[in-house]
């Protein structure tokens, strides 16, 4: 029972961080669209959209204990890392905060995947 509750705790933490990350990505997308150099951010905005969607799908898979959840969490971690790297190219507060949250989410997803 101890292993199950530790696993549930990890999953609950990962779900919370995936939701937080999806929200941060959506907020960052909106903020990026208001920046004067929006054209330079197109690839970053696309990555933000992908990251938000993948995080929410990971939440769904974990919530229903899908047999694919672990593999998907690995992919989610990779996308979150990539999104963080894109956001870090811009020095706005919203991008740097989003990058930080993406890295936290990637860490939690990697723990879920292992």
């Amino acid at each position: 029972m101890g292993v199950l509750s530790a696993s549930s705790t990890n999953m609950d933490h990962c779900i919370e961080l995936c939701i937080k990350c999806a929200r941060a990505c959506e907020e960052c997308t909106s903020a990026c669209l208001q920046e004067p150099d929006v054209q330079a951010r197109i690839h970053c905005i696309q990555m933000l959209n992908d990251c938000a969607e993948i995080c929410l799908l990971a939440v769904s898979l974990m919530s229903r204990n899908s047999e694919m959840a672990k593999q998907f969490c690995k992919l989610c971690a990779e996308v979150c890392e990539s999104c963080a790297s894109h956001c870090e190219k811009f020095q706005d507060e919203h991008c740097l905060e989003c990058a930080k949250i993406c890295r936290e989410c990637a860490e939690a997803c990697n723990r879920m995947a292992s």
Side-chain angles (χ1 to χ4, degrees):
M1 187 74 175
V3 173
L4 181 60
S5 73
S7 176
S8 293
T9 301
N10 280 343
M11 188 169 65
D12 289 344
H13 182 67
C14 189
I15 287 171
E16 286 174 22
L17 282 174
C18 282
I19 293 169
K20 182 179 179 181
C21 187
R23 180 179 179 184
C25 288
E26 294 289 358
E27 289 172 354
C28 192
T29 296
S30 293
C32 282
L33 289 170
Q34 302 303 313
E35 295 291 344
D37 63 343
V38 71
Q39 280 306 119
R41 297 168 185 261
I42 296 298
H43 194 65
C44 184
I45 291 167
Q46 290 169 332
M47 183 55 68
L48 286 162
N49 287 334
D50 288 350
C51 190
E53 288 185 29
I54 284 179
C55 284
L56 293 176
L57 186 50
V59 168
S60 294
L61 293 171
M62 284 184 280
S63 296
R64 65 175 170 255
N65 268 334
S66 168
E67 65 184 46
M68 299 305 297
K70 278 190 174 195
Q71 295 97 313
F72 201 83
C73 283
K74 180 78 177 128
L75 173 63
C76 188
E78 291 171 17
V79 172
C80 286
E81 285 292 343
S82 181
C83 190
S85 295
H86 283 286
C87 283
E88 287 165 349
K89 293 176 184 172
F90 302 96
Q91 293 305 304
D92 320 295
E93 187 178 334
H94 59 87
C95 286
L96 297 177
E97 179 65 16
C98 186
K100 179 176 153 281
I101 293 168
C102 284
R103 294 210 188 277
E104 290 171 2
C105 186
E107 196 177 300
C109 283
N110 275 324
R111 274 196 304 274
M112 275 304 295
S114 60

